[in-house]
Amino acid sequence: MNDILIQNTTAFFEKSFGTSPEKTVLSPGRINIIGEHIDYNDGYVLPAAIDKIICFAFGKKNSKTSKVIAIDLNEEFEIDLTQEVKLSDVVWTNYIRGVIKQLQDNGFSFEGFNCVFSSNIPVGSGLSSSAALECGMIFGIKSLFDLKLEKKDIALLGQKAEHWVGINCGIMDQFSSVHGLENKVIQLDCNTLDFEYHNADFKDYSLILFDSNVKHSLFTSEYNTRRIECEEGLSIIKSHFPEVKSFRDATEEQVLSLKDKFSGKVFSRVHFVVKEINRVIKACKALDAGNIELLGELLFETHYGLSQEYEVSCEELDMLVDTAKEDETIVGSRLMGGGFGGCTINLVKKGHENEVKRKFSKLYLDTFGIELKFYDVKISNGTTLL
Ligand code: ADP
Ligand code: MG
């Protein structure tokens, strides 16, 4: 599938600019096995890059302007690199403007370039097409003009570009798009950016994403509320247990002992966070031991925590996970990403993939009148030159 994407992107560059591209960059989307909503709560996450990518073809332009073509949208724009970079009404161009701005603001100088890009990462389904876009652009400009940028710098600049566009994201998406390795998951400490690879051998199970095809508008407001609730919860824990500096230091027992000290929903939020941080550690051990059934159990636990305690699920996602829980050929399932829509991640027994897809498609369509989409994912390399 990626071969055709690469051929088409290359051909489009040649047709548009009359020469072959000088650099071709492949930049992947990502999944997160476990560790949800804890990137901003001092936790570890367990993401991986996948075999869905944006392909970019780059060439020097020998001028002070750059031209970028989004093949999938059939749109293009030009930017004068000598002028101050400003936000535009055309959203996709902002990710590119943001990248150019971050590189310039951080002292990197480069000349004009031509770029065309095309993608097979579904947009807005939680596979982080935006991070793939930012990191692929930075990687391409770096390669074309020999900029001294380490992988970590690319991820951090990509994140800053996304903040500039207006999304206050954590570092996980860009980090995993850049640092991904085939058949490895990345245990990432979002505070320090320390990371460790673990083998991603799912044995008798296939990783399949079920795309609910819904995106409820609650996402942004609830996300901000959760951040405030967690800050409040942490300060209460700290005031009773001075040795606790971050959620990572807190135990479930401590949280339970303070149950009547938290207001409103704060107890449930904090209880989820402390348990989720522990689940990531357990999940790494389960993967290392090849115990995929245990890993699957942890995924279900995460889902029910996200749904009942953290309250970021929705009826469509809950139905998909409840149905998976009853299905003997699925050992693990949970909502993946921020919630209120997007995908569930599932571990499906090999040989049963088609039957599972048929069953879930029909049930989902009958219940919600919405088509369920499926993405088979393989864990693959991070942003790279072809
Ligand atoms: P995701 O979960 O996929 O990252 P976002 O809303 O964060 O969803 O980012 C999606 C945005 O990234 C799109 O609205 C668009 O502006 C940009 N984008 C992603 N893929 C493409 C593409 N193939 N062509 C043009 N723009 C893209
Ligand atoms: Mg995104």
Side-chain angles (χ1 to χ4, degrees):
M1 193 160 81
N2 289 346
D3 289 348
I4 298 171
L5 182 72
I6 295 165
Q7 276 168 26
N8 289 346
T9 309
T10 310
F12 205 99
F13 187 95
E14 285 165 354
K15 194 182 76 188
S16 307
F17 302 112
T19 66
S20 298
E22 289 167 63
K23 306 281 178 191
T24 302
V25 175
L26 313 178
S27 190
R30 64 103 190 90
I31 53 172
N32 184 27
I33 305 291
I34 198 162
E36 210 61 83
H37 279 281
I38 56 169
D39 52 339
Y40 56 89
N41 281 320
D42 315 312
Y44 302 93
V45 290
L46 198 61
I50 55 173
D51 58 345
K52 306 235 176 294
I53 57 165
I54 304 183
C55 176
F56 302 77
F58 283 91
K60 286 187 183 156
K61 192 162 181 276
N62 300 317
S63 84
K64 296 283 182 197
T65 64
S66 291
K67 182 170 183 173
V68 181
I69 305 178
I71 300 176
D72 308 329
L73 302 177
N74 195 21
E75 287 183 27
E76 62 176 59
F77 86 109
E78 277 208 47
I79 178 165
D80 183 340
L81 300 176
T82 64
Q83 301 289 308
E84 191 196 340
V85 181
K86 296 215 173 84
L87 283 168
S88 145
D89 294 339
V90 187
V91 173
W92 71 269
T93 70
N94 286 333
Y95 293 93
I96 310 206
R97 294 172 202 273
V99 157
I100 290 172
K101 180 174 166 51
Q102 292 309 324
L103 284 170
Q104 289 179 338
D105 288 357
N106 285 277
F108 293 98
S109 64
F110 50 92
E111 304 286 305
F113 57 88
N114 291 316
C115 170
V116 310
F117 69 95
S118 182
S119 171
N120 56 29
I121 308 171
V123 172
S125 295
L127 304 190
S128 221
S129 64
S130 59
L133 183 54
E134 293 142 10
C135 295
M137 277 309 295
I138 299 174
F139 202 90
I141 300 171
K142 162 200 143 79
S143 308
L144 210 50
F145 298 99
D146 257 339
L147 307 184
K148 296 281 167 282
L149 280 164
E150 304 289 329
K151 284 185 178 182
K152 191 169 128 184
D153 307 324
I154 296 177
L156 287 167
L157 288 173
Q159 181 195 25
K160 279 193 185 163
E162 183 131 356
H163 289 174
W164 183 77
V165 171
I167 295 126
N168 188 18
C169 60
I171 188 63
M172 173 171 78
D173 300 351
Q174 289 79 10
F175 197 93
S176 35
S177 184
V178 174
H179 286 81
L181 276 187
E182 195 174 353
N183 296 326
K184 303 276 182 194
V185 292
I186 310 166
Q187 184 187 1
L188 170 65
D189 180 332
C190 295
N191 283 349
T192 61
L193 299 192
D194 289 339
F195 65 103
E196 198 177 295
Y197 292 108
H198 293 262
N199 280 332
D201 178 357
F202 298 104
K203 309 268 169 177
D204 289 336
Y205 298 92
S206 301
L207 263 188
I208 308 180
L209 307 181
F210 298 177
D211 188 344
S212 68
N213 251 318
V214 296
K215 203 171 187 179
H216 296 292
S217 58
L218 281 165
F219 182 81
T220 313
S221 64
E222 292 296 311
Y223 179 84
N224 292 331
T225 313
R226 289 305 168 277
R227 292 195 73 146
I228 294 165
E229 289 166 336
C230 289
E231 274 169 32
E232 184 186 323
L234 181 60
S235 72
I236 289 168
I237 304 175
K238 279 179 172 172
S239 68
H240 289 83
F241 298 99
E243 70 275 22
V244 172
K245 299 279 177 271
S246 79
F247 275 119
R248 202 176 289 185
D249 310 322
T251 63
E252 191 182 352
E253 289 68 38
Q254 288 171 333
V255 173
L256 291 171
S257 76
L258 298 174
K259 190 165 181 183
D260 56 354
K261 303 278 190 294
F262 298 108
S263 62
K265 303 268 190 188
V266 173
F267 167 74
S268 311
R269 312 302 191 226
V270 165
H271 192 230
F272 167 78
V273 168
V274 170
K275 290 211 296 187
E276 183 70 356
I277 289 175
N278 283 320
R279 272 192 289 267
V280 178
I281 314 285
K282 289 184 192 164
C284 291
K285 289 189 181 145
L287 259 181
D288 291 344
N291 190 343
I292 306 308
E293 291 75 16
L294 174 58
L295 177 67
E297 272 303 309
L298 294 166
L299 295 194
F300 281 125
E301 278 181 27
T302 292
H303 182 80
Y304 289 110
L306 286 168
S307 177
Q308 291 155 19
E309 295 194 299
Y310 215 69
E311 295 185 282
V312 292
S313 189
C314 57
E315 60 173 330
E316 293 88 349
L317 294 170
D318 283 343
M319 182 272 232
L320 291 172
V321 176
D322 288 342
T323 310
K325 187 103 176 80
E326 296 301 312
D327 190 313
E328 283 176 4
T329 63
I330 305 181
V331 284
S333 176
R334 68 174 192 86
L335 79 82
M336 193 183 76
F340 302 110
C343 290
T344 63
I345 177 169
N346 301 273
L347 288 164
V348 179
K349 184 114 185 146
K350 283 185 179 150
H352 296 269
E353 293 92 340
N354 288 337
E355 127 203 354
V356 161
K357 288 177 188 174
R358 271 196 302 275
K359 169 178 149 182
F360 276 77
S361 295
K362 178 166 187 331
L363 193 65
Y364 196 72
L365 189 63
D366 289 349
T367 312
F368 299 112
I370 303 170
E371 188 202 341
L372 190 63
K373 282 195 270 175
F374 301 97
Y375 313 124
D376 298 301
V377 291
K378 296 255 170 320
I379 294 187
S380 303
N381 286 323
T383 314
T384 171
L385 282 180
L386 181 66

